[in-house]
Amino acid sequence: AQSVTQLDSQVPVFEEAPVELRCNYSSSVSVYLFWYVQYPNQGLQLLLKYLSGSTLVKGINGFEAEFNKSQTSFHLRKPSVHISDTAEYFCAAQRANAGGTSYGKLTFGQGTILTVHP
Amino acid sequence: GAGVSQTPSNKVTEKGKYVELRCDPISGHTALYWYRQSLGQGPEFLIYFQGTGAADDSGLPNDRFFAVRPEGSVSTLKIQRTERGDSAVYLCASSLTSGRSTDTQYFGPGTRLTVL
C-alpha cells in the first residue's frame, strides 16, 4: 500500500511570488505520481504527472514538479503565481506494475489550499 | 467533448434512508472510479470498474455501500441505511482504460451528500 502526505494544509502567498507545495509519499512498490487542482465548485483537474524518465515534470498553467526518489518527494512549484491559481491542490500516487501499466486507484494526500493575495 | 457528469449535484437525505448517486463517464472510457471526499480531506478510493465488472472494491467501507455498472457505461453508487458519517462529496472519474500508465483519470464535479 502507498500513502501520500502533503506537508502544508494552507499556503498563503502574494501575487507574482514563487510557491512550493510539498508532497511526500511512502510505498513499498514503484509508483506514478500526480498533482491535481480543484477550483471551487469544480472537479479535480490534472496538473501534471510523473511516470518515468526526467525527474522534472512540466504541467499546465506554468506549474512544474520534481520527483526525488531518495527523499520520496514530489514537490510542486511555480515561479510566479497569479490570483487565478487560488485553489486546493492534491498530490496523488498510483501503483505502477512491473509491466509499466498502472493499477488504477489513486491514493491522495490531504490537500493544500493555496491562497494568492493581491 | 462532454466530461464526466454526476447527478444529482446535491442530495440531502435523512438518516436511515436509501440513496443512489449516478455517474456518466466520458464516452468510450472503459474504466470508472468512485471516490469519497470528506470535509478537509483528500479523495479516498471506493471502487473501480473495468467494463461491467468491479475490478477492485477494496475501498467500500461496509456492506451498506454497493455500486453497479450493468452496461459498462453509466454507474450507480447505492448507499443503504444512510448514516450521518456518510456525508461527503462523492466523486466519479473515468479513464480510457485502467491498464495503461498514460491514461489520465478525469473527474466529475461530484455529488454532495448530506445525511441529516
Side-chain angles (χ1 to χ4, degrees):
Chain A
Q2 51 266 14
S3 66
V4 176
T5 302
Q6 291 181 242
L7 300 168
D8 306 292
S9 59
Q10 297 192 51
V11 173
V13 65
F14 287 108
E15 194 173 19
E16 297 183 6
V19 71
E20 178 180 81
L21 306 184
R22 297 180 295 167
C23 172
N24 285 97
Y25 70 93
S26 173
S27 179
S28 56
V29 298
S30 295
V31 293
Y32 300 127
L33 295 163
F34 305 80
W35 276 98
Y36 279 84
V37 60
Q38 187 172 38
Y39 299 104
N41 301 315
Q42 294 187 29
L44 290 161
Q45 179 183 0
L46 181 69
L47 273 179
L48 49 78
K49 59 185 176 185
Y50 172 78
L51 304 178
S52 64
S54 173
T55 57
L56 183 63
V57 181
K58 294 190 183 296
I60 62 171
N61 301 340
F63 284 93
E64 62 181 32
E66 185 155 20
F67 170 64
N68 188 319
K69 188 174 182 179
S70 63
Q71 297 187 8
T72 60
S73 67
F74 190 55
H75 300 332
L76 181 70
R77 303 185 183 103
K78 186 169 183 178
S80 176
V81 294
H82 303 290
I83 298 287
S84 59
D85 293 322
T86 294
E88 189 161 18
Y89 292 78
F90 292 94
C91 182
Q94 182 183 52
R95 194 179 95 181
N97 292 333
T101 57
S102 67
Y103 188 63
K105 67 180 180 183
L106 293 166
T107 300
F108 286 88
Q110 301 91 326
T112 298
I113 297 173
L114 173 65
T115 304
V116 181
H117 298 283
Chain B
V4 178
S5 62
Q6 294 186 244
T7 53
S9 55
N10 279 283
K11 176 70 177 178
V12 180
T13 191
E14 294 179 343
K15 181 175 177 297
K17 299 291 188 183
Y18 168 83
V19 296
E20 290 189 352
L21 311 178
R22 176 187 169 105
C23 172
D24 278 275
I26 293 171
S27 179
H29 281 194
T30 61
L32 183 147
Y33 308 79
W34 283 100
Y35 295 85
R36 177 169 72 173
Q37 186 174 15
S38 300
L39 194 62
Q41 301 294 318
E44 293 179 299
F45 169 78
L46 295 176
I47 184 171
Y48 102 84
F49 291 87
Q50 182 59 44
T52 59
D56 181 355
D57 65 357
S58 62
L60 294 177
N62 51 60
D63 61 7
R64 295 187 297 106
F65 289 74
F66 189 70
V68 295
R69 194 185 185 200
E71 297 179 358
S73 179
V74 170
S75 176
T76 305
L77 179 65
K78 307 179 181 194
I79 310 174
Q80 299 177 319
R81 305 183 304 279
T82 51
E83 300 177 356
R84 293 194 179 89
D86 298 335
S87 295
V89 176
Y90 289 81
L91 300 172
C92 178
S94 70
S95 67
L96 197 55
T97 72
S98 67
R100 289 206 306 267
S101 62
T102 53
D103 288 340
T104 297
Q105 291 185 30
Y106 295 89
F107 283 80
T111 294
R112 182 175 298 279
L113 175 67
T114 304
V115 182
L116 301 176

